[in-house]
Amino acid sequence: MRLPFANRSRRRLRSRLLLAVLIALAGPLALIAAFRFIPPPLTPLMAIRLIEGYGLHKQWVALQQIAPALADSVIASEDNLFCQEAWGFDAAAMRGQYEAWQDGERPRGASTITMQTAKNLLLWPGRDPVRKAVEAWLTPQIAMLWPKRRILEVYLNIVEFGPGIYGAEAASRSFFHKPASELSPREAAQLASVLPKPLGWSAASPTPYLRQRAAVIEQRIAQIRPLLTCAR
């Protein structure tokens, strides 16, 4: 007995929705697995900035070709507990931000380097709830499939350091006219200091405020040195 047309249509719709869900779940996981071994050719943010007219300057280099001071500076600036995080989240920071929200304060964010890698690698910029939810879904997958050094390597090669400038090598050559392997501790701290606002701040021409941020980052590296083991 043939099903009525309406029933057949509903079944086809359910099948298509199921297929769409499976693709949505498996697609990013496949990319994450692939990017565990190969350099990402382009990210959504890079494509968006190209459309906005910022250009594209990037050059992939292995983590061994980036001065260790830059990894230290980024961890000290962005995510002190990066080496200790099991699933890519800072539970204590997230709990503190939730409590601040409950108290009526504005949360300042608790984004880890792994979360930022997920965002920069696969997602669009912004703070909308949908993007944050997808970021939270992707973060533990990256943390599970990639070692810490690979997370650092990808992050330091795709993060935006300036208008149209992505990654440590392009930033070092653009701002300091040298390869990333030759960055001094102060130059590395200056690069890390602009990450919260790369389109508005310049590592090449730091304001007094940015110089102070860089100095604080250098001081913090000395304080958290035992927490930086995974960067070596």
Side-chain angles (χ1 to χ4, degrees):
M1 179 178 177
R2 297 186 64 185
L3 292 171
F5 177 76
N7 288 345
R8 293 200 305 272
S9 296
R10 282 195 291 269
R11 286 198 172 187
R12 284 198 296 269
L13 178 60
R14 283 197 296 268
S15 297
R16 290 171 181 172
L17 287 174
L18 178 59
L19 178 61
V21 170
L22 290 175
I23 292 173
L25 294 176
L29 182 59
L31 287 175
I32 290 170
F35 292 149
R36 162 69 176 85
F37 302 101
I38 62 176
L42 194 72
T43 68
L45 179 61
M46 292 176 190
I48 290 169
R49 294 289 190 247
L50 271 172
I51 293 171
E52 293 174 344
Y54 285 106
L56 179 61
H57 304 281
K58 67 184 183 73
Q59 182 179 340
W60 181 276
V61 293
L63 186 60
Q64 295 91 324
Q65 294 176 270
I66 300 174
L70 184 58
D72 293 347
S73 295
V74 168
I75 293 173
S77 174
E78 304 279 295
D79 184 8
N80 290 184
L81 299 177
F82 170 71
C83 291
Q84 282 68 46
E85 293 156 0
W87 294 99
F89 301 110
D90 185 340
M94 294 178 71
R95 184 166 54 250
Q97 294 306 305
Y98 176 71
E99 292 170 354
W101 174 76
Q102 284 188 315
D103 293 338
E105 301 175 14
R106 182 179 178 182
R108 291 181 294 177
S111 185
T112 65
I113 288 174
T114 309
M115 294 169 70
Q116 292 178 54
T117 301
K119 176 191 72 175
N120 288 323
L121 181 64
L122 297 169
L123 302 175
W124 61 95
R127 297 179 179 274
D128 58 278
V130 173
R131 201 225 72 195
K132 294 299 290 185
V134 178
E135 178 185 298
W137 164 251
L138 297 174
T139 294
Q141 298 179 51
I142 290 177
M144 179 178 64
L145 293 175
W146 295 6
K148 294 288 186 180
R149 285 180 58 81
R150 179 58 177 179
I151 295 173
L152 279 174
E153 183 174 60
V154 172
Y155 181 70
L156 291 176
N157 272 284
I158 66 174
V159 69
E160 185 178 35
F161 281 107
I165 299 172
Y166 306 93
E169 187 71 12
S172 182
R173 292 185 180 276
S174 295
F175 298 135
F176 304 117
H177 311 292
K178 62 173 67 174
S181 60
E182 297 179 7
L183 285 168
S184 70
R186 173 47 59 96
E187 291 165 343
Q190 286 180 206
L191 284 176
S193 72
V194 306
L195 289 178
K197 196 177 178 182
L199 297 184
W201 293 341
S202 172
S205 303
T207 62
Y209 171 71
L210 284 180
R211 292 185 186 278
Q212 178 61 28
R213 276 181 60 86
V216 170
I217 289 170
E218 287 191 275
Q219 293 172 3
R220 191 173 298 159
I221 290 172
Q223 295 167 353
I224 67 169
R225 183 72 64 185
L227 302 179
L228 300 174
T229 53
C230 71
R232 297 292 180 268

